[in-house]
Every structure is written in structure tokens, then in C-alpha cells.
Amino acid sequence: MSQDLNTFKEKYPFIIQDKVQWGDMDAFAHVNNTVYFRYFERVRFSFFDEYGLMDEKETTGVGPVLASTRCRYKVALEYPDTIFLGTSITGLEHDRFLMHYAIFSEELNTVAAEGDGFIIYYNYLDKVKSQIPESQFQRLSALAG
């Protein structure tokens, strides 16, 4: 099902713009399946940076870690294209949340892929699962659907 960019922006409140690179392509003349996970990583870390999640990790050792991820491919991306990488969060608990991702193709005017990433909080110093620091939990609560 096709989706326009305005609808995409309503569904995904955090979006970054990017370009499909020639090197993203594979021998089948479309973006390689593994590259979609790099796109998801790009928007995930941009989100983490924007909301200070990585700052907390640097100061306390407690931060987010990807526990699992998946992708559903809808249409093949090709070079050249401008893409919009969007994310939203749901299922916020005191130690985890789910990030939803999507990639919108400007060239095709539709969503090319959707996926999600299960994020848990981790104490990198003690190497154990952790709670989300309260200040971060409050920020994330304001965003969670």
C-alpha cells in the first residue's frame, strides 16, 4: 500500500534525510538487504543522540542496547534516491522499549521497508540489564505512542 510523505511524517515523529549511495547497491542492481539495517541504525543513533541517551551512557555507563531487530522489505531501493528514515517508539517500560523504523523513498513516493528494534537498557560497566534513568524515561514517555 502506497503512503505519501506527509502521512509518513505523521506516523514517524523523528525523521532524518539521507541518500542511497552507489555502494549500497548489490549485483542485483538494488540496495542490498543488509544496508537497510544500516539505515535503521543511522536513524536509531540519530534519535539516541537527539534525546541524550548516549550522553547518559558516557556519564553513568547506563544506556540503550539493541536486543533484536527485523525488517520487512516492501519495494526495492535503487541509486539514486533520496530517502527519509523515520522512527517512533512504543511499549515503553522501565527497562525497555520498541523502536519502529521505516524508510520512505522519494523516487518511488512510498515506504520501501519497515522494521523494528527491541531496545533494552544495559549497564555497560557491570555488564547487566538496567533500568532506564528517570530523566530519560520522562523524555521517552513524552514520545511513546
Side-chain angles (χ1 to χ4, degrees), residues 11-14 40 43-44 47-48 53 64-72 86-102 114-121 129 132 137 140-141 143-145:
K11 188 172 180 182
Y12 297 97
F14 186 85
F40 292 166
V43 73
R44 181 173 60 250
F47 176 89
F48 288 173
L53 279 59
V65 66
L66 181 65
S68 66
T69 190
R70 64 185 176 161
C71 180
R72 289 170 303 284
T87 192
S88 63
I89 63 172
T90 61
L92 179 64
E93 297 185 30
H94 283 280
D95 61 350
R96 70 188 76 180
F97 59 90
L98 187 65
M99 291 191 86
H100 301 276
Y101 313 116
E114 293 177 320
D116 53 56
F118 182 58
I119 309 298
I120 63 167
Y121 261 69
K129 193 172 174 186
I132 299 173
F137 186 81
L140 293 170
S141 292
L143 300 168

Side-chain angles (χ1 to χ4, degrees), residues 3-15 87-88:
Q3 182 181 131
D4 68 20
L5 186 55
N6 289 331
T7 304
F8 179 80
K9 288 179 177 180
E10 289 172 12
K11 188 172 180 182
Y12 297 97
F14 186 85
I15 296 173
T87 192
S88 63

Side-chain angles (χ1 to χ4, degrees), residues 63-142:
V65 66
L66 181 65
S68 66
T69 190
R70 64 185 176 161
C71 180
R72 289 170 303 284
Y73 307 97
K74 297 180 169 288
V75 297
L77 290 171
E78 297 176 0
Y79 173 87
D81 197 352
T82 297
I83 53 177
F84 297 87
L85 312 174
T87 192
S88 63
I89 63 172
T90 61
L92 179 64
E93 297 185 30
H94 283 280
D95 61 350
R96 70 188 76 180
F97 59 90
L98 187 65
M99 291 191 86
H100 301 276
Y101 313 116
I103 303 166
F104 186 90
S105 163
E106 185 175 75
E107 180 74 22
L108 302 171
N109 195 39
T110 195
V111 172
E114 293 177 320
D116 53 56
F118 182 58
I119 309 298
I120 63 167
Y121 261 69
Y122 188 73
N123 183 317
Y124 288 85
L125 303 175
D126 296 335
K127 303 198 183 320
V128 295
K129 193 172 174 186
S130 180
Q131 296 287 303
I132 299 173
E134 190 58 32
S135 62
Q136 286 185 11
F137 186 81
Q138 294 305 321
R139 273 183 294 208
L140 293 170
S141 292

Side-chain angles (χ1 to χ4, degrees), residues 3-56:
Q3 182 181 131
D4 68 20
L5 186 55
N6 289 331
T7 304
F8 179 80
K9 288 179 177 180
E10 289 172 12
K11 188 172 180 182
Y12 297 97
F14 186 85
I15 296 173
I16 61 172
Q17 186 175 328
D18 207 347
K19 298 271 189 193
V20 172
Q21 303 297 314
W22 176 253
D24 294 345
M25 306 278 282
D26 63 18
F28 297 107
H30 61 258
V31 172
N32 185 272
N33 64 300
T34 62
V35 175
Y36 290 77
F37 289 100
R38 287 199 308 250
Y39 295 153
F40 292 166
E41 178 182 60
R42 200 165 299 141
V43 73
R44 181 173 60 250
F45 273 89
S46 292
F47 176 89
F48 288 173
D49 287 342
E50 179 75 20
Y51 289 96
L53 279 59
M54 298 312 291
D55 293 340
E56 182 81 23

